[in-house]
Amino acid sequence: MQNYLFVHFRESTSPEGEQVYFALSRDGFEWHALNGGQPVLWAYYGDHGVRDMTVIRDRKTGRIHIFATDLSLSYGMRGKYHHSWRNINLHGSRDLAHWWSDDLVNWSEQEMIPLGNEDFGCLWAPDIIYDAENDDYVLHWSSCHRENGFGPMAIYYSRTRDFVTYSAPALMYRKEDSGCIDSAMYEENGRYYLFVKSEKNPETMIELASDHVTGPFERVSAFDQAMSVIQPGLYEAPTAVRLEDGRWCLFIDYYGVRGAGQGYVPFVAPSLQSGRFVRSDAAFSFPYGFKHGTILTITPQEYDRMMSRDWKDVPDPR
């Protein structure tokens, strides 16, 4: 039996929203917040805030790794970035924040992973996947880049085997007619499926498929039809999990309102290959709006261990 951990942040104009939050589920449908809905990990370095988390378990060591965008809008938007998203894109952090744990209840201190160089803008929205073909992990993110004059963003990647050393970044996917952000990738029956937010043509999610983690990719046309039911320009940050019955649940982050009304909307499909995702709000229960995160499959024993931990001893730096 598999249980689930959702690692995410919360939409907030105050610093505690841009930290690491945990939620647990027995079945993937009904979710419960840990630590009373307060952060379980705090960012002490970089921008002192993090967003867009991804989580993975190392197949060899069992160690769990969290990566996140190094960015605080609460602290930085008014001063450091002068109320400009363009300034963030060009001058934001080229590092990713990283934590690790061997048991899901005791976590390392935050460390900063420098992946970008002067050719990159801000490194946004990391995601990571195991590459069976090369027996390593591919960490990918969205960024603007000097190669197109720091114009529309594309997806870049770096490889690691030990989560200590990382290869030089390379291009994974560029959409020819618009920028793309918020990549999330999953394997099904030996093929790899990449979800990204297309910034135009269409201004919504698209699904791509390849026989290799780094492409080349082809469009899954059935997914375009599935996404035609949602309003363009109001959704981002796709993340998915395979449920125990074999179906896939794709969560898409709705940001069409201000504040607490934002959060994930669920869609369910029989397979990634089919692309036939159907909106399924009524089947899911959330304590509040989770923002841009990733789901890790955990054991019932790990679920119980996390639920029984007294998270109130987590330091609060405020």
Side-chain angles (χ1 to χ4, degrees):
M1 182 177 181
Q2 62 187 35
N3 294 173
Y4 308 89
L5 164 65
F6 212 137
V7 182
H8 63 93
F9 77 102
R10 296 184 69 170
E11 189 62 41
S12 173
T13 56
S14 55
E16 70 271 12
E18 295 171 308
Q19 308 297 336
V20 182
Y21 291 75
F22 287 170
L24 294 180
S25 175
R26 289 289 193 193
D27 57 8
F29 293 89
E30 184 177 359
W31 292 90
H32 306 278
L34 287 187
N35 195 24
Q38 296 301 308
V40 297
L41 298 171
W42 286 80
Y44 293 96
Y45 305 108
D47 259 15
H48 302 282
V50 286
R51 304 165 67 91
D52 318 332
M53 295 79 189
T54 190
V55 59
I56 196 168
R57 190 190 304 266
D58 187 325
R59 294 183 176 215
K60 293 180 180 177
T61 68
R63 179 168 287 178
I64 297 93
H65 297 267
I66 293 173
F67 295 88
T69 304
D70 171 33
L71 176 65
S72 173
L73 299 182
S74 299
Y75 288 126
M77 181 59 93
R78 298 169 181 80
K80 183 176 181 180
Y81 301 117
H82 306 293
H83 293 276
S84 168
W85 287 98
R86 179 62 175 167
N87 281 342
I88 298 174
N89 258 341
L90 291 175
H91 307 299
S93 178
R94 297 167 182 162
D95 298 349
L96 295 177
H98 175 232
W99 291 263
W100 58 264
S101 173
D102 291 320
D103 59 9
L104 288 167
V105 296
N106 299 289
W107 288 86
S108 70
E109 262 202 35
Q110 176 195 14
E111 69 170 349
M112 306 302 295
I113 308 294
L115 288 174
N117 56 36
E118 66 277 3
D119 292 328
F120 283 85
C122 182
L123 273 58
W124 292 94
D127 186 65
I128 189 166
I129 187 170
Y130 174 70
D131 183 358
E133 189 175 15
N134 292 282
D135 189 27
D136 64 4
Y137 295 86
V138 175
L139 179 61
H140 50 102
W141 65 89
S142 45
S143 184
C144 63
H145 197 276
R146 190 180 303 276
E147 66 186 0
N148 69 336
F150 298 99
M153 286 193 279
I155 310 303
Y156 294 86
Y157 73 94
S158 172
R159 293 182 178 273
T160 185
R161 280 195 166 89
D162 57 9
F163 297 90
V164 175
T165 58
Y166 298 82
S167 67
L171 180 66
M172 175 181 282
Y173 174 72
R174 181 180 297 281
K175 190 168 181 284
E176 294 301 324
D177 60 354
S178 78
C180 60
I181 61 173
D182 294 353
S183 56
M185 191 184 301
Y186 307 91
E187 182 271 335
E188 180 186 67
N189 299 328
R191 296 208 83 200
Y192 295 93
Y193 294 86
L194 175 66
F195 296 92
V196 298
K197 178 193 176 182
S198 166
E199 296 190 309
K200 292 180 182 177
N201 307 314
E203 193 180 356
T204 185
M205 293 339 101
I206 61 173
E207 182 185 5
L208 305 145
S210 177
D211 292 328
H212 309 282
V213 169
T214 56
F217 295 95
E218 59 188 26
R219 194 91 157 253
V220 179
S221 59
F223 185 77
D224 293 339
Q225 183 176 355
M227 290 296 102
S228 67
V229 302
I230 66 173
Q231 187 174 350
L234 300 180
Y235 294 84
E236 62 185 4
T239 193
V241 65
R242 192 171 199 168
L243 302 172
E244 196 156 27
D245 63 9
R247 292 181 298 164
W248 284 86
C249 182
L250 175 69
F251 297 93
I252 306 177
D253 193 345
Y254 172 68
Y255 61 95
V257 296
R258 295 179 63 87
Q262 300 187 25
Y264 272 117
V265 175
F267 296 76
V268 176
S271 67
L272 297 179
Q273 181 184 18
S274 75
R276 292 184 284 109
F277 284 86
V278 176
R279 187 162 179 165
S280 306
D281 302 55
F284 292 80
S285 173
F286 301 94
Y288 51 78
F290 298 178
K291 294 292 293 181
H292 200 150
T294 304
I295 299 171
L296 178 72
T297 300
I298 61 175
T299 67
Q301 294 76 21
E302 289 172 327
Y303 178 102
D304 292 339
R305 186 190 311 149
M306 297 184 78
M307 286 294 286
S308 63
R309 187 203 196 282
D310 182 5
W311 295 93
K312 293 183 177 61
D313 66 353
V314 173
D316 185 338
R318 289 173 296 174

